[in-house]
Amino acid sequence: MSVRTDSSAPYRAGFACFVGRPNAGKSTLTNALVGTKVAITSNRPQTTRHTVRGIVHRPDAQLVLVDTPGLHKPRTLLGERLNDVVRTTWAEVDVIGFCLPADQKLGPGDRFIAGELAGIKKTPKVAIVTKTDLVDSKTLAAQLIAIDQLGRDLGIEWAEIIPVSAVDAEKSAAAGKAGAGAKKDGAGAKAGQVSLLADLLVPLLPESPPLYPEGDLTDEPEQVMVAELIREAALEGVRDELPHSIAVVVEEMLPRPDRPADKPLLDIHANVYIERPSQKGIIIGPKGKRLKDVGTKSRKQIEALLGTPVFLDLHVKVAKDWQRDPKQLRKLGF
């Protein structure tokens, strides 16, 4: 990563927010920049429901990444609330990154978001072309031209237009750990693009002392992150209509009493909520196999996150039509 070594350069710290339609690669990009998993990712749209702050520490700056839900045409009260979260976040950050996938032509959803961004005059905007690993150079060039034209049509002056591949960046980072000073192959170049993105965002931040202590990677409460990891595991392999119906609430996280200091165990009790009794069997699976797989997969991720062995107790419950019920939404944290 290229960083300024000039000690006279001012230190900068501030908030950057990634926006875009659902499944535009915002969470993957947040994780790649932070260097660890702070946002759940899924190939299902509308995975993110909370604004997750990932914190990038650099010698010259601290970049706090606010990951928002994808802006979309809402069909439920939950959808309306998620869109409100996005608009509130836009009003409070120092720079906005608009994520547009390289493998999909600009559509009505992108133009809708760009139109909303055009109304925010003072905040600098960076167009980030994601998923560049999925296209050839000709397709990428056409997308860059289309995004430039979109800005012209709507009166948006992009501070930068930058292509990135967060997926290749992660692969390259792993390869880099295995062999320092790695070859300049395609993956390495694209990893450089993620670093370059941070280099381009930092000058757009205000001069400020650090906002978070060194070493902090997110300010998301641990219970929320644990719930999100369980929900990510529950999203895998279910029918297309089910992801939006799943919510997870961690009811309790307590160290197991009477355990020796060198063999701690954290008891986590969590409920997986769905909207209809007919969905229960999908989540639990034949003879409980699916729910057991969800528990095994999420427990490993939770243990890696918290650095301690975990006993995970999962239960599936029905919260009827919770996406449309204000009382249920409050209970589930929305």
Side-chain angles (χ1 to χ4, degrees):
M1 185 186 292
S2 62
V3 295
R4 292 194 303 269
T5 53
D6 177 8
S7 59
S8 66
Y11 190 91
R12 295 179 182 274
F15 295 86
C17 145
F18 293 145
V19 301
R21 55 190 163 86
N23 205 23
K26 302 180 294 294
S27 296
T28 306
L29 190 56
T30 297
N31 292 338
L33 276 161
V34 176
T36 191
K37 187 173 205 163
V38 292
I40 79 163
T41 58
S42 165
N43 59 7
R44 307 285 186 195
Q46 211 182 309
T47 304
T48 305
R49 289 184 183 154
H50 302 272
T51 52
V52 175
R53 289 177 171 83
I55 304 163
V56 182
H57 299 274
R58 296 164 47 114
D60 59 339
Q62 190 177 80
L63 176 64
V64 185
L65 301 169
V66 184
D67 179 42
T68 61
L71 199 70
H72 61 293
K73 191 173 181 180
R75 295 187 181 88
T76 63
L77 182 59
L78 172 66
E80 289 172 19
R81 290 195 179 173
L82 294 179
N83 278 357
D84 289 343
V85 167
V86 177
R87 293 190 181 97
T88 303
T89 304
W90 290 1
E92 295 172 348
V93 296
D94 301 298
V95 57
I96 297 171
F98 183 18
C99 294
L100 300 129
D103 63 331
Q104 298 165 37
K105 289 189 173 178
L106 300 186
D110 298 314
R111 290 188 173 85
F112 168 69
I113 294 169
E116 296 247 335
L117 288 178
I120 303 167
K121 298 298 182 189
K122 290 182 181 174
T123 310
K125 299 158 199 74
V126 175
I128 305 165
V129 188
T130 60
K131 307 187 182 185
T132 57
D133 52 298
L134 301 179
V135 299
D136 57 26
S137 55
K138 186 179 175 184
T139 307
L140 177 58
Q143 187 74 325
L144 294 171
I145 291 166
I147 291 166
D148 181 55
Q149 188 59 49
L150 177 67
R152 291 173 193 274
D153 292 345
L154 294 170
I156 300 172
E157 188 176 334
W158 303 118
E160 303 281 353
I161 301 176
I162 179 169
V164 298
S165 169
V167 173
D168 279 347
E170 286 169 1
K171 287 178 188 168
S172 181
K177 284 175 186 170
K183 297 172 289 186
K184 286 261 182 183
D185 59 6
K190 284 169 180 166
Q193 289 167 354
V194 173
S195 297
L196 176 61
L197 174 60
D199 290 344
L200 295 173
L201 292 174
V202 162
L204 301 171
L205 302 177
E207 293 181 24
S208 164
L211 303 169
Y212 291 90
E214 181 69 37
D216 280 13
L217 297 177
T218 181
D219 68 352
E220 193 73 33
E222 283 183 346
Q223 271 187 233
V224 173
M225 292 188 73
V226 166
E228 289 288 88
L229 290 172
I230 295 167
R231 190 164 69 91
E232 178 179 41
L235 280 171
E236 286 192 16
V238 295
R239 293 180 193 171
D240 286 356
E241 72 273 13
L242 204 53
H244 311 310
S245 301
I246 297 173
V248 177
V249 175
V250 173
E251 300 291 346
E252 201 171 55
M253 279 173 55
L254 291 171
R256 178 81 58 92
D258 306 323
R259 295 282 293 196
D262 59 339
K263 287 189 179 175
L265 184 67
L266 187 67
D267 286 320
I268 299 177
H269 301 279
N271 292 326
V272 179
Y273 287 95
I274 34 79
E275 293 192 290
R276 297 186 296 281
S278 60
Q279 297 170 336
K280 212 167 180 178
I282 300 171
I283 291 290
I284 294 171
K287 296 183 179 176
K289 184 177 184 308
R290 224 188 144 267
L291 187 62
K292 188 177 179 183
D293 289 346
V294 169
T296 302
K297 176 150 194 175
S298 56
R299 193 189 79 244
K300 286 177 183 170
Q301 297 262 19
I302 293 163
E303 288 179 340
L305 171 74
L306 302 178
T308 184
V310 162
F311 172 79
L312 182 59
D313 178 38
L314 286 182
H315 294 272
V316 180
K317 297 193 172 187
V318 178
K320 193 172 184 314
D321 293 330
W322 67 262
Q323 292 188 72
R324 293 171 173 79
D325 182 343
K327 195 191 287 185
Q328 299 272 27
L329 281 171
R330 274 197 301 277
K331 180 184 169 188
L332 297 176
F334 296 106

